[in-house]
Amino acid sequence: MLAKLTALTVLLLSTLSFPSAQADERSIIEVAKVLYQQRKPALAQLKEAAALGDAESQFYLAEELSGPLEQMTQASAFWYEKSAAQGDMYAMYRLAFQNTDVCQALQNCPADGVPAQVWKDKLTGIAQSRSKHGDGEAMSMMYLLTDDLDWLEQSANAGDASSQWLLANRYREGHGIFLIPSNRKKEEERLLKLAAENGLPKAQIEYAGLLAERGDNAEGEQWYLKAVNSSYITALSSYAHMLERGDLYNIPKNPQKAYEFHSLVLSLDTADMLHETTAERMSMLEKTLSPSEIAQARVNADAWAKTHPPLSFYRMKLGL
């Protein structure tokens, strides 16, 4: 009887601890992805998340290991393959279109594995299959594979926000055929609005810009603030500049609030041009603000950060 009770106790304890372990794993994965989206050093965190089997973390880790030139290395290939094995289309795309220039020169390319053409064929098959079931993301992948704008249009029509944004920009660049030239601009605006409504911060600030161009500052400001309130770093930085100047979207000049939003951007603490520029702007503002105003701005920034999502660049996969 005692043995049975002991076994039951162990079973109950393991059952109770299982949700906690799952929560810990989710936290590890979430932290890694937040750091990646903030463009902060995150190799250690991504490795931990990737080791837990999260396909997206594996892809992000491979991206970091490939570097800005997207060079295929033994380490990046390993994690792309791990992610691709779980069906990640973006990992398959990288494996299908490998950049091996540097590793060939250094003679440290990945050992021969699955040929790039095999990955391309597999990716094409998966993307075509998912597209038949209305998967907008798969349709956008078909566009990348074929460069056929019709696939991007299908993806946008299926409601994929990233494709709506990309298609609007492709139209702006002159792609696509419009029998009535003025319809090009109308379609660009329609697509940007759809992408903005679907919550894409990049589209929200671009749509706000279109509205401002035609003098609709009030609605433009509303859309811009949606991007700000999503903690889109680019929007936060630009909004701080607007508050400094007080001449865009009819946003009134407010040096203290500008300092508040600059301090949010500076909190990323990354060694890049944005960090340097933000620090310079804050230094200039400090000359016009009182110590109490600066202190209050910092308090406001802390409160804002606690009530909004983590700061993010909302990086789009494959650099789109």
Side-chain angles (χ1 to χ4, degrees):
M1 181 68 177
L2 180 60
K4 289 183 178 180
L5 286 173
T6 302
L8 179 60
T9 301
V10 171
L11 177 62
L12 286 172
L13 288 174
S14 63
T15 302
L16 290 171
S17 63
F18 185 64
S20 177
Q22 284 187 322
D24 289 343
E25 290 185 1
R26 286 196 299 270
S27 178
I28 289 169
I29 292 169
E30 182 180 345
V31 167
K33 290 180 181 179
V34 166
L35 292 174
Y36 177 82
Q37 289 294 344
Q38 292 176 342
R39 295 198 178 114
K40 298 182 76 171
L43 275 179
Q45 292 84 354
L46 284 171
K47 285 178 180 178
E48 190 174 8
L52 293 172
D54 182 68
E56 190 171 46
S57 296
Q58 291 169 344
F59 172 76
Y60 288 151
L61 174 57
E63 291 283 273
E64 289 290 274
L65 292 168
S66 294
L69 296 179
E70 301 167 5
Q71 293 294 333
M72 191 64 67
T73 65
Q74 292 183 13
S76 63
F78 175 84
W79 289 109
Y80 280 133
E81 289 170 1
K82 286 282 189 182
S83 180
Q86 298 192 68
D88 189 287
M89 292 189 295
Y90 301 98
M92 293 183 201
Y93 184 90
R94 289 294 193 219
L95 292 166
F97 298 95
Q98 301 179 22
N99 184 353
T100 58
D101 294 342
V102 172
C103 72
Q104 286 177 352
L106 298 175
Q107 297 183 339
N108 65 348
C109 287
D112 290 340
V114 178
Q117 185 61 48
V118 172
W119 281 115
K120 184 177 180 180
D121 293 342
K122 182 175 182 179
L123 173 57
T124 301
I126 290 173
Q128 285 178 331
S129 176
R130 294 181 186 177
S131 295
K132 291 178 181 177
H133 293 88
D135 188 327
E137 189 176 30
M139 295 172 189
S140 70
M141 181 57 69
M142 286 301 301
Y143 165 68
L144 294 177
L145 288 167
T146 64
D147 202 31
D148 183 348
L149 200 66
D150 181 63
W151 279 113
L152 191 59
E153 290 170 343
Q154 289 186 55
S155 179
N157 290 333
D160 187 83
S162 296
S163 293
Q164 290 164 345
W165 169 83
L166 183 59
L167 183 58
N169 280 272
R170 290 293 179 264
Y171 286 158
R172 183 186 304 169
E173 294 163 358
H175 297 274
I177 299 173
F178 290 86
L179 297 178
I180 302 175
S182 61
N183 285 347
R184 180 181 294 276
K185 187 70 173 180
K186 291 178 182 178
E187 187 63 4
E188 176 193 337
E189 182 170 331
R190 184 187 74 85
L191 287 163
L192 279 181
K193 183 179 182 181
L194 285 173
E197 290 172 341
N198 284 328
L200 191 67
K202 185 178 294 188
Q204 289 168 345
I205 62 174
E206 289 189 19
Y207 182 56
L210 279 180
L211 292 169
E213 284 179 10
R214 68 183 191 203
D216 195 348
N217 286 312
E219 189 177 355
E221 179 186 359
Q222 290 178 12
W223 280 109
Y224 209 99
L225 289 178
K226 286 182 182 295
V228 169
N229 287 322
S230 70
S231 302
Y232 182 33
I233 295 166
T234 301
L236 288 174
S237 179
S238 296
Y239 185 52
H241 282 282
M242 293 177 196
L243 290 165
E244 281 188 62
R245 297 168 54 178
D247 61 355
L248 290 173
Y249 298 105
N250 294 330
I251 294 173
K253 187 175 182 178
N254 190 329
Q256 181 176 324
K257 197 170 182 179
Y259 190 91
E260 173 187 335
F261 281 91
H262 276 314
S263 66
L264 284 166
V265 176
L266 196 71
S267 69
L268 286 172
D269 196 26
T270 52
D272 57 15
M273 185 61 69
L274 177 62
H275 185 88
E276 293 179 9
T277 302
T278 303
E280 290 175 3
R281 302 305 306 172
M282 290 180 68
S283 179
M284 293 178 66
L285 284 169
E286 285 171 355
K287 297 176 182 177
T288 67
L289 297 171
S290 68
S292 61
E293 288 174 325
I294 293 173
Q296 186 60 53
R298 294 186 183 279
V299 169
N300 293 345
D302 289 340
W304 193 95
K306 291 175 182 176
T307 56
H308 290 76
L311 301 186
S312 177
F313 281 106
Y314 292 95
R315 300 168 69 175
M316 300 176 79
K317 292 180 179 178
L318 305 181
L320 297 176

